[in-house]
Amino acid sequence: MTDNQYYYAVARIRSRELTLLNQSFIEQLLGAKSTDEALRLLQDKGWQMPDEYTTESDRVEKMLAAEKKKTWDLIGELVDDMSVFDVLIIENDYHNLKAAVKEALTSDRHPEIFVGGGTIEPKIMEEAVKSRDFSPLPEEMKAVAEKALETLLHTHDGQLTDVIIDKAALEAIGKAAKKSGSDVLELYAGLKVASADIKIAIRAVKTGKDKNFIKNALAPCDTLNTEKLAEASAEGMEAIYDYLALTKYSDAVPELKKSPSAFERWCDNLIIRNIRREITHPYTIGPLAAYIIARENEISTVRIVLSGLINDLPEDSVRERAREMYV
Amino acid sequence: MGIALALLGAASAALFAGIGSAIGVGRAGQAAAGLVTEDPTQFSRALILQLLPGTQGIYGLLIAFIALSNIGLLGGNADMSMDVGKGLMYLFACLPMAFVGLVSAMQQSKASVASIGLVAKRPDQFGKSMIFPAMVETYAILALLVSILAINGIH
């Protein structure tokens, strides 16, 4: 689909951007004294409250799921070929692949470990892995599914299986981004892969993995030298900080030193800051992709704030996790 | 041969400027429809911004009329033995409107689409939003003037 086909869609998205949550609203939400007060604020912003729910957490999850659905329904109305946005949802497929591979070792079914919103129905994935007939899966997933299942059956090493699938997921994200032909989606995928590689390197230090294991776990990345990152990871945390200080991710070092959640927040904020330029772009697919990312970002921030309220967490610790908003 | 070239000039002005406007108004119309889908109260503002790239088609038509009138094709007293030189003069006189009309309408539509986005976010800035596409109009008007002066200068 060429860029000049999105005049209608972008004009609608421009109107919808007015309803996105901004930083001052998040401040208001952070100041809410109770879950009810926070939910009332969201309701005033047009967020739908579920009619039926069992617990407070269930109520929040249902509300967030409805908001997520609202976003994808809108995009579905605006774009004929939704495959351009696969890069944003392909991660769910690989999560389900992990779940299906692990479930294949047990005799029970665990539907609750699968997530929706991917490109493949979780049930299809589950059955393909269970029956070892990988033909219903996309071409690039077949070999990964087979390799992961064989590895788990022979080694019973869940971590190794996760590494195989996670790396394949990151590679799939990169490929889907290139296929989309959208600058903003390529940028998103690049940052996603880079932040995942940094997390893998950090985790490897903490679990004492050797250089070969780390090298195999890291996904190819345009903005990081995975060879050097693996070497640094094998040496220790300081070596990772020294290497990152020489890259465009030097700002990540103080966040990594603070806490893993501070780094997670930094990664999400970096994506939002980089896609913000789409606010002024009048007719490409970029503003649509940016809107989806912005909505996902605000939904995850609302989840953080509401979980904090439900679990009585101190405001400062919730504030530390709250993401920057797109508008 | 001369009369055919003169007619080609008149037709080019109407044709290219008209194509530019059709593309431009269609493009801006898509954005306007998007805005009105979300906020029907913005219809009149969106309509004005949609129509801005339509003026080049009108200018092209005007040049075609003036050229046809000068050639005498409208009154039925055309000089069928017009020499090639005079025919070429009419053709070249119409070209500014033809080409500037085509390009400016297409570029103006992009400015209109962006301005519709501006109105979507800040309806109170409608006045300013009209200025951006209107700036492109300047060049269509300049081409219109050149074409009129050139056609009227042919004797």
Side-chain angles (χ1 to χ4, degrees), chain A residues 4-9 11-18 74 77 279 282-283 327, chain B residues 27 30-35 37-39 110 113-114 116-118 120-123:
Chain A
N4 59 7
Q5 285 173 293
Y6 296 98
Y7 296 106
Y8 172 80
R12 283 193 67 180
I13 289 297
R14 286 287 166 261
S15 267
R16 292 292 179 112
E17 280 171 2
L18 294 174
L74 171 70
E77 262 180 57
I279 288 176
Y283 46 81
V327 291
Chain B
R27 199 180 266 172
Q30 289 178 51
L35 170 60
T37 305
E38 294 294 327
D39 185 359
K110 290 184 179 178
V113 167
I116 287 169
L118 194 162
K121 294 197 110 171
R122 293 174 178 268

Side-chain angles (χ1 to χ4, degrees), chain A residues 235-262:
Chain A
E235 280 176 40
M237 210 64 96
E238 283 304 320
I240 294 181
Y241 297 154
D242 290 345
Y243 169 65
L244 289 178
L246 302 172
T247 68
K248 64 185 274 196
Y249 305 107
S250 55
D251 291 349
V253 176
E255 307 298 325
L256 282 166
K257 285 179 180 170
K258 258 189 240 165
S259 66
S261 66

Side-chain angles (χ1 to χ4, degrees), chain A residues 106-174:
Chain A
T106 65
S107 51
D108 303 327
R109 285 195 64 231
H110 300 281
E112 73 283 354
I113 60 173
F114 292 89
V115 295
T119 62
I120 309 157
E121 278 297 310
K123 210 170 160 46
I124 294 173
M125 181 89 73
E126 194 182 359
E127 276 163 17
V129 175
K130 198 144 232 166
S131 64
R132 298 196 193 188
D133 171 16
F134 302 107
S135 56
L137 303 182
E139 208 52 55
E140 67 272 15
M141 201 183 254
K142 283 180 192 166
V144 182
E146 202 170 349
K147 187 178 171 190
L149 187 62
E150 288 303 316
T151 306
L152 191 62
L153 286 172
H154 290 117
T155 64
H156 290 276
D157 185 346
Q159 200 185 19
L160 190 59
T161 314
D162 284 354
V163 165
I164 293 167
I165 298 175
D166 285 341
K167 184 177 180 179
L170 294 172
E171 284 171 350
I173 288 173

